[in-house]
Amino acid sequence: MDKNRIEGTKHEVKGAVKEAAGKVTGNPVKEASGQAEKQVGKFQKEVGKSRDDYKKHT
């Protein structure tokens, strides 16, 4: 498994926690930061998945 998939999952979880904390505290900046980090994590996971697929087929 490519390390990008693991790191991407970490970013998604961390972003979800930040987003929830921003909602609870009424901090829109923290909430937006969490949403952005989740998106970065999703992208990074897709990069890792693509790399894994490439390795399988070569």
Side-chain angles (χ1 to χ4, degrees):
M1 181 184 290
D2 189 76
K3 70 177 183 171
N4 281 307
R5 291 176 88 171
I6 296 166
E7 290 299 315
T9 301
K10 286 181 190 177
H11 282 290
E12 278 190 279
V13 170
K14 200 163 94 173
V17 170
K18 273 187 188 178
E19 184 179 7
K23 284 181 182 178
V24 168
T25 60
N27 185 340
V29 174
K30 186 176 284 264
E31 186 177 345
S33 173
Q35 290 172 345
E37 190 159 359
K38 280 189 345 185
Q39 293 303 315
V40 168
K42 287 179 182 181
F43 179 75
Q44 192 171 12
K45 273 179 34 178
E46 288 301 316
V47 168
K49 190 186 291 186
S50 295
R51 290 181 67 160
D52 282 343
D53 289 344
Y54 174 76
K55 288 176 186 175
K56 283 182 189 175
H57 295 99
T58 57

